[in-house]
Amino acid sequence: MMPDPVCRMGFGTMQLIGPGHWGAADDPANSIQVLRDAVDAGVTHIDTADSYGPFTAEKYIRKALHPYPEGLTIATKGGLTRQGPNQWAPCGRPEYLRQCVEMSLRRLQIERIELYYLHRIDPAVPMEDQLAVLADMQREGKLGHIGLSKVDMSQVREASRLVDIKAVQNKYNLTNRASEYVLSHCERAGITFVPYAPLASDGLTRAVGELATVAAKHDATPAQLALAWLLHHSPAITAIPGTSDRTHLGENVAAQHIRLTAEDMTEIEAASGQGDA
Ligand SMILES: NC(=O)c1ccc[n+]([C@@H]2O[C@H](COP(=O)([O-])OP(=O)(O)OC[C@H]3O[C@@H](n4cnc5c(N)ncnc54)[C@H](OP(=O)(O)O)[C@@H]3O)[C@@H](O)[C@H]2O)c1
């Protein structure tokens, strides 16, 4: 099952772990509480990856939420290895990807992962081999849908010829629209587009100047406005803002209720310097 279309504001777990996305959070109890708050607030799509920690975010999810409420989609990813804080390296060897899936199933304590992303396409391994093992595991019932992450247009097209791609996760936000073309393709092809770093990894949360003025007009914070802009920009978008702060979580979830007109959208784009994007 893809994320519930009525809850397009999901939650990303990358901020729930240690500095450099390495190891345990300074306050694991807070991370657990934020996850529980997210579900209590109606979030039905939680985004994670085996490499967050590594393994830490998936373990927190199980600890916070298992047994999982009905309708909750936990999307995870495999294919990135870790060498230390802020260090990531792809490994798309089929036997490694198979192990990634098996270990995520075990850590999350589930029998099937509803949405599984190839975290990176490993340039050292044929793409078809990387996707074939995921398709095998889909046939075995261990994976629901398959997604791609950090991909360009030609990779989306090539992968879609090999397997049914249901989601694409690329960096995209109000001030970084490099993936606009991929987003348009996803919209046409019925693929869910999940922008990562929707707040520009907090670049949009400290927005001052015009964007802050427009946000105030909507009785919203700049972060809320940036999230509302995403949801209005394309029906293919499901957002997954990341936070370790319970107040920010509440604000992010509430942003899905902000209503923007076409004029508001133009004003927001102009205020962020993206008017011609
Ligand atoms: N596929 C990939 O390769 C990839 C790469 C990166 C991320 N992701 C996924 O995408 C998710 C989102 O990206 P992200 O977490 O890197 O970046 P983000 O959501 O753009 O921004 C997170 C930052 O914004 C702050 N923040 C969040 N909500 C806020 C609010 N309402 N007010 C003020 N500050 C706020 C957070 O700090 P506080 O904790 O203080 O709120 C944090 O510093 C990740 O959690 C992860 O699941 C995927």
Side-chain angles (χ1 to χ4, degrees), residues 11-16 21 30 46-49 52 75 77 80 88 117-120 148-150 169-173 194-206 221-224 227 239-253:
F11 176 74
T13 57
M14 208 172 173
Q15 309 299 332
L16 298 182
H21 313 296
N30 175 68
I46 292 183
D47 183 83
T48 192
Y52 296 170
K77 320 180 190 77
L80 267 184
W88 317 73
Y117 295 91
L118 182 57
H119 208 158
R120 293 289 182 271
L148 301 172
S149 166
K150 203 174 182 186
Q169 190 169 130
N170 275 4
K171 183 183 274 191
Y172 184 83
N173 56 58
V194 185
Y196 77 71
L199 297 170
S201 303
D202 102 349
L204 279 161
T205 63
R206 288 174 277 103
T221 67
Q224 287 180 308
L227 293 173
I240 48 162
T243 182
S244 57
D245 182 296
R246 298 177 71 186
T247 305
H248 290 167
L249 170 73
E251 290 170 3
N252 295 348
V253 173

Side-chain angles (χ1 to χ4, degrees), residues 1 18 42 50 54 58 82 120 135 148 187 214 243:
M1 194 190 74
D50 63 355
E58 288 187 339
R82 298 299 307 272
R120 293 289 182 271
L148 301 172
E187 215 175 292
V214 181
T243 182

Side-chain angles (χ1 to χ4, degrees), residues 91-109:
C91 177
R93 293 200 340 252
E95 64 273 27
Y96 176 68
L97 293 178
R98 177 168 279 279
Q99 175 169 314
C100 289
V101 172
E102 291 292 354
M103 294 300 105
S104 285
L105 286 167
R106 187 188 290 187
R107 271 188 300 276
L108 290 165
Q109 219 177 319

Side-chain angles (χ1 to χ4, degrees), residues 16-249:
L16 298 182
I17 52 180
H21 313 296
W22 182 255
D26 293 341
D27 182 359
N30 175 68
S31 298
I32 302 285
Q33 191 56 53
V34 170
L35 283 162
R36 290 183 178 150
D37 284 359
V39 168
D40 287 347
V43 166
T44 55
H45 172 199
I46 292 183
D47 183 83
T48 192
D50 63 355
S51 52
Y52 296 170
F55 317 134
T56 315
E58 288 187 339
K59 286 180 184 165
Y60 288 169
I61 289 171
R62 184 193 60 209
K63 189 160 183 200
L65 301 173
H66 191 275
Y68 303 108
E70 206 175 315
L72 179 68
T73 295
I74 299 168
T76 192
K77 320 180 190 77
L80 267 184
T81 60
R82 298 299 307 272
Q83 295 70 41
N86 291 318
Q87 292 180 52
W88 317 73
C91 177
R93 293 200 340 252
E95 64 273 27
Y96 176 68
L97 293 178
R98 177 168 279 279
Q99 175 169 314
C100 289
V101 172
E102 291 292 354
M103 294 300 105
S104 285
L105 286 167
R106 187 188 290 187
R107 271 188 300 276
L108 290 165
Q109 219 177 319
I110 49 180
E111 289 177 1
R112 171 185 158 104
I113 296 164
E114 291 307 328
L115 174 57
Y116 193 82
Y117 295 91
L118 182 57
H119 208 158
R120 293 289 182 271
I121 295 173
D122 182 349
V125 178
M127 187 201 288
E128 62 212 68
D129 294 352
Q130 299 174 66
L131 292 172
V133 67
L134 299 185
D136 284 347
M137 298 195 86
Q138 196 175 34
R139 278 188 289 275
E140 291 161 24
K142 292 175 175 173
L143 300 181
H145 300 300
I146 296 172
L148 301 172
S149 166
K150 203 174 182 186
V151 281
D152 62 28
M153 203 48 240
S154 67
Q155 290 171 318
V156 178
R157 284 216 173 92
E158 191 185 338
S160 297
R161 279 194 285 271
L162 297 166
V163 297
D164 188 15
I165 297 297
K166 278 283 198 283
V168 165
Q169 190 169 130
N170 275 4
K171 183 183 274 191
Y172 184 83
N173 56 58
L174 185 53
T175 50
N176 181 340
R177 295 170 65 179
S179 279
E180 195 72 51
Y181 191 52
V182 175
L183 167 59
S184 301
H185 171 80
C186 288
E187 215 175 292
R188 289 192 301 275
I191 296 172
T192 300
F193 185 88
V194 185
Y196 77 71
L199 297 170
S201 303
D202 102 349
L204 279 161
T205 63
R206 288 174 277 103
V208 287
E210 279 187 62
L211 195 59
T213 310
V214 181
K217 253 175 56 181
H218 290 272
D219 202 16
T221 67
Q224 287 180 308
L225 203 65
L227 293 173
W229 177 85
L230 281 173
L231 299 189
H232 284 77
H233 180 60
S234 167
I237 287 183
T238 290
I240 48 162
T243 182
S244 57
D245 182 296
R246 298 177 71 186
T247 305
H248 290 167
L249 170 73

